[in-house]
Each structure stands twice: as structure tokens, then as C-alpha cells.
Amino acid sequence: MNSSKVLMAYVPEWKTMKAEQIPAEKLTHLLYAFSLVNEQGECTTFAEMDSARANLKMLKEVKARNPHLQMFISVGGWTGSANFSSSILTPESRGKLIKSCIDLWIKGGVGVPDMFDGIDIDWEYPGSAGETRNFRPEDKQNFVALMTEFRRELDVLGTATGKRYLLSAALG
């Protein structure tokens, strides 16, 4: 594979898949979609945990077979962006969201530590109406603050673990 190319794919949490269905050898990055942000402003797992457990087990197998693959948890999505605006309104609320995402997905609160190499923020859309129509004019500035603070916290963790954690955003 040409190392200068980035080839990404999403794996949906709502569909149970088998490892053989994912062309991981052709990809550089795999995004597991989606973690949600609850009304308390924290990253959460999915409503249907049996499906999530099966998918997380399958993703662990994919990662073991393809050590080059960078795996992300994607947070939000079209129907999962309703609580972003409130969750990033203040430095305290941003800190709570960031800590919960790192604890749950990067540190392994879901029971699979060291599987995810990064976090993808898929907020649709900061400062404008997405499916949820839940937004504020200051969302754009708060989004920048969120990403800046996320990067800082991932770097702090990376210093402790010796690993570089990735951060991305799906932007319109």
C-alpha cells in the first residue's frame, strides 16, 4: 500500500459484521460509528450493547490481524449530534466530555483498552442546523476550543503511554 494515501472506512455500530467483511488490508484508518453524547454531556456506548459487544470483539480481531490499521471511535453522527452544543458550552462541560470519551474509548472503559488509536468528532453541524436542529451561534468557536482541548488531553495521555493518539473531525 502507498503510505502517502489515507484510506478510511466507517463500520456502523448498528450492524453486526464479521471481520472478513472489512477490507482492512486496503485501509489505513477504520472509524467505528458512532459513540453518542448523552444529555449529561458524556460519551456513551450504544443503546444495544449486545450488538456493540459483538462489534467490539470483531474490531479487536480486525486490529490484531492488521496492526498497521489506525482505529478511531467516531462520536456523534447525523442523529447523534443533539447534545454537542450544550456539552461544549463551557470549559468545564468540554472537559467533562473530553474526559469521558478518553476514559471510555481510549483507556478502555468499554472493556477493550489499547484498541482505539484516536477519536473522530462527527458533529453535524457546529453553529448550524443538522438533523437535530440543536445549535447555538457560538458553537463554531466552542468547537475550535473543543478540538484544541481534546488535542492537549490526548497529548498528555500520549506522554504517559508513549503513544501518539489521533484526532479528526468530519466537517461539512
Side-chain angles (χ1 to χ4, degrees), residues 72 118-121 146-148 150-151 154 165-169:
F72 287 73
I119 294 176
D120 173 65
I121 302 299
L146 173 72
M147 297 304 282
T148 300
F150 236 127
R151 178 73 271 152
L154 288 169
Y165 297 98
L166 305 171
L167 179 65
S168 66

Side-chain angles (χ1 to χ4, degrees), residues 101-163:
C101 290
I102 290 173
D103 287 352
L104 186 65
W105 297 107
I106 303 297
K107 291 182 177 179
V110 291
V112 280
D114 300 323
M115 186 167 77
F116 291 101
D117 303 294
I119 294 176
D120 173 65
I121 302 299
D122 194 327
W123 177 3
E124 301 182 16
Y125 300 95
S128 66
E131 192 267 342
T132 63
R133 308 266 186 246
N134 184 5
F135 65 96
R136 294 178 172 87
E138 61 269 33
D139 285 346
K140 292 177 186 179
Q141 293 77 20
N142 290 339
F143 178 73
V144 171
L146 173 72
M147 297 304 282
T148 300
E149 294 166 27
F150 236 127
R151 178 73 271 152
R152 183 180 60 239
E153 293 303 316
L154 288 169
D155 288 345
V156 167
L157 179 61
T159 299
T161 63
K163 184 174 178 178

Side-chain angles (χ1 to χ4, degrees), residues 62-95:
V62 168
K63 179 94 169 170
R65 289 183 184 173
N66 300 276
H68 73 280
L69 189 63
Q70 298 288 295
M71 201 167 296
F72 287 73
I73 183 65
S74 190
V75 181
W78 183 248
T79 59
S81 294
N83 295 314
F84 268 115
S85 186
S86 297
S87 299
I88 68 160
L89 191 57
T90 67
E92 295 77 20
S93 63
R94 285 191 296 274

Side-chain angles (χ1 to χ4, degrees), residues 18-55:
K18 294 184 176 163
E20 300 78 34
Q21 293 176 283
I22 298 171
E25 68 284 348
K26 296 178 183 177
L27 301 171
T28 58
H29 298 76
L30 189 67
L31 292 88
Y32 188 44
F34 293 99
S35 177
L36 304 176
V37 178
N38 66 20
E39 290 179 0
Q40 291 74 42
E42 298 172 319
C43 261
T44 63
T45 55
F46 322 109
E48 178 53 57
M49 277 311 295
D50 287 341
S51 174
R53 279 189 197 97
N55 278 339

